[in-house]
Amino acid sequence: MAGREQKKAGGGGKKKEVKKETGLGLSFTKDENFGEWYSEVVVNSEMIEYYDISGCYILRPWAMSIWEIMQTFFDAEIKKMKVKNCYFPVFVSPGVLQKEKDHIEGFAPEVAWVTKSGESDLEVPIAIRPTSETVMYPYYSKWIRGHRDLPLKLNQWCNVVRWEFSNPTPFIRSREFLWQEGHTAFATKEEADTEVLQILELYRRIYEEFLAIPVTKGRKSELEKFAGGLYTTSVEAFIPNTGRGIQGATSHCLGQNFAKMFEINYENEKGEKAMVWQNSWAYSTRTIGVMVMVHGDNKGLVLPPKVAALQVIVIPVPYKDADTQGIFDACAATVATLSEAGIRAEADLRENYSPGWKYSNWEMKGVPLRIEIGPRDLANNQVRVVRRDNGEKTDISRVFLVEQVKGMLDKIQQSLFDVAKQKRDACVEVVKTWDEFVKALGKKKLILAPWCDEEDVEKDVKARTKGEMGAAKSLCTPFEQPELPEGTKCFASGKPAKKWTYWGRSY
């Protein structure tokens, strides 16, 4: 690359300013100080800005565009399933919020309350939604009267507030976040069970096909399931650098519990009164944080092409006496050709920054492909293409530009997934005993262990692993179960094991 760079233009006599402009690199590496590295990447790549209220973050266009791409996909898919969008208020009355006891106990510590209006205290404080079951279900009770009113399938794209006090982290744990929440009601449990898995498959696709992150589909333990629900399924990701699992998205079957509390009854075909079966399901902006953690490197963000707002950045590399205008024109023509083919491309024609500075800048922002055009490329009717994920450089003829670039973007998308899967799989450790479990936990592993499926045993695992790093817990019981030989004992209790379950520390 050395021959293609030039000294910073217009830097004479203003040493301080130039220093500021070239201070592009990260001060922390992903392996040495993951937490600081992550905080730096999300800010330097212009995804977020810190806000003056702790635990709240500004989502800048670079992050918002990723959310919009996932939203476009998911929204179209749920519409095919006949789910309709709606919007309910952000405020919840205390009486309604407290109706489902287990549910509110699960959320109580995180609920934010409005207590004043101007200078005067409100007679009754009003809660801000941490999730919308209790907001929506009184109206489901009103709208569902007979079997013809079923199924009722609603979704809302909104914000929720959970007043977290444990380490707020951009995208991963914030006091306000964006999400979609689907709330559906059916006449039968079979219909509800079917939908739970259909939605879970859409969540898998968001992670694996769009964000290039391998996830495991499975069921949560009774201790970890949604408060007040019947059972919870989830897609679980894993962050090899920290040895922590992360719940990617959840699809819950609520059973008839909420229907009982909120009197969501209908008259069935035989004229008898029956209770509905309900589901709720959600994924949030946390998805973006998982993507940063899994793919980012010491140069910054690495974006999978499918979710990148910008897939190709074109950079002119003029020399002193080069035909600068010719190079600039070639850059503009390249962008036009790619854009016409549906590829998201732009040229960086800023003259006050050197090509080297621009390379670092767009690497920090994670753009999947960089195209460089210098005098030699102009003469040979070619461009140089550099991959963000592995730094590979290729010269390609402008004649085959579109098909070559499309092919490379597909390769990057696949390669990011393959590398992430390889890293995750290398972290999985199968253990049979408590000693093996503790050792594996110390090595930041994703642990697969035989378990007796008893709540007290899981509580005991949490209690026995409490420490600076945080306690270990069950992450999920994978749907794809390895064979469980007869006589296998639970790793923690020594009782007969019933299933294989993933364990580990988590976010």
Side-chain angles (χ1 to χ4, degrees), residues 136-144 152 154 183 185 264 278:
M136 296 167 88
Y137 298 167
Y139 300 91
Y140 279 38
S141 162
K142 187 178 177 181
W143 298 335
I144 296 169
L152 178 59
L154 300 181
H183 295 270
I264 311 175
Q278 287 175 276

Side-chain angles (χ1 to χ4, degrees), residues 370-384:
R370 175 172 85 232
I371 287 182
E372 305 165 4
I373 302 178
R376 202 187 65 213
D377 304 301
L378 197 59
N380 296 339
N381 197 32
Q382 66 178 32
V383 298
R384 171 164 285 188

Side-chain angles (χ1 to χ4, degrees), residues 111-157:
V111 176
W113 293 88
V114 178
T115 57
K116 283 175 106 76
S117 153
E119 286 305 304
S120 49
D121 291 339
L122 294 185
E123 243 172 79
V124 178
I126 292 169
I128 298 174
R129 62 173 168 228
T131 177
S132 299
E133 282 75 7
T134 59
V135 178
M136 296 167 88
Y137 298 167
Y139 300 91
Y140 279 38
S141 162
K142 187 178 177 181
W143 298 335
I144 296 169
R145 286 284 178 244
H147 61 89
R148 288 185 189 82
D149 299 326
L150 292 170
L152 178 59
K153 301 183 182 188
L154 300 181
N155 174 68
Q156 63 174 357
W157 294 93

Side-chain angles (χ1 to χ4, degrees), residues 282-327:
Y283 82 95
S284 74
T285 35
R286 166 178 268 208
T287 44
I288 300 170
V290 182
M291 177 203 74
V292 176
M293 288 181 164
V294 169
H295 301 307
D297 62 19
N298 293 333
K299 289 180 174 181
L301 203 57
V302 176
L303 293 175
K306 270 196 172 177
V307 292
L310 191 56
Q311 295 168 318
V312 181
I313 185 71
V314 181
I315 297 176
V317 191
Y319 295 86
K320 268 199 184 108
D321 307 316
D323 171 9
T324 308
Q325 195 51 50
I327 290 171

Side-chain angles (χ1 to χ4, degrees), residues 14-197:
K14 290 192 181 174
K15 280 208 171 132
K16 265 206 171 114
E17 247 178 68
V18 173
K19 175 92 180 91
K20 195 174 155 197
E21 281 175 359
T22 49
L24 273 179
L26 298 167
S27 0
F28 298 94
T29 66
K30 191 176 184 180
D31 289 336
E32 281 169 26
N33 193 331
F34 186 84
E36 295 289 354
W37 167 85
Y38 177 80
S39 302
E40 235 185 336
V41 168
V42 292
V43 173
N44 290 10
S45 62
E46 299 181 342
M47 290 188 94
I48 69 137
E49 185 61 78
Y50 282 87
Y51 192 58
D52 66 351
I53 294 170
S54 163
C56 298
Y57 309 96
I58 297 162
L59 297 187
R60 300 182 67 180
W62 204 242
M64 209 56 203
S65 57
I66 297 172
W67 182 242
E68 286 171 341
I69 288 167
M70 295 189 287
Q71 185 176 24
T72 302
F73 160 75
F74 189 79
D75 202 62
E77 290 298 322
I78 60 173
K79 282 185 172 133
K80 287 180 199 167
M81 293 168 63
K82 302 283 186 278
V83 176
K84 293 184 165 66
N85 283 326
C86 63
Y87 185 79
F88 279 74
V90 70
F91 302 115
V92 199
S93 66
V96 172
L97 186 63
Q98 280 144 12
K99 216 165 192 174
E100 212 302 334
K101 290 287 175 280
D102 289 341
H103 178 72
I104 188 54
E105 263 174 35
F107 284 102
E110 301 175 347
V111 176
W113 293 88
V114 178
T115 57
K116 283 175 106 76
S117 153
E119 286 305 304
S120 49
D121 291 339
L122 294 185
E123 243 172 79
V124 178
I126 292 169
I128 298 174
R129 62 173 168 228
T131 177
S132 299
E133 282 75 7
T134 59
V135 178
M136 296 167 88
Y137 298 167
Y139 300 91
Y140 279 38
S141 162
K142 187 178 177 181
W143 298 335
I144 296 169
R145 286 284 178 244
H147 61 89
R148 288 185 189 82
D149 299 326
L150 292 170
L152 178 59
K153 301 183 182 188
L154 300 181
N155 174 68
Q156 63 174 357
W157 294 93
C158 63
N159 61 338
V160 283
V161 173
R162 295 182 186 174
W163 213 254
E164 298 270 4
F165 284 96
S166 59
N167 329 325
T169 307
F171 299 118
I172 302 298
R173 237 175 224 294
S174 55
R175 287 177 167 177
E176 180 192 6
F177 54 87
L178 299 181
W179 75 349
Q180 61 64 224
E181 49 177 325
H183 295 270
T184 52
F186 301 92
T188 64
K189 182 174 188 289
E190 290 70 37
E191 291 171 279
D193 288 338
T194 302
E195 187 201 63
V196 164
L197 296 181

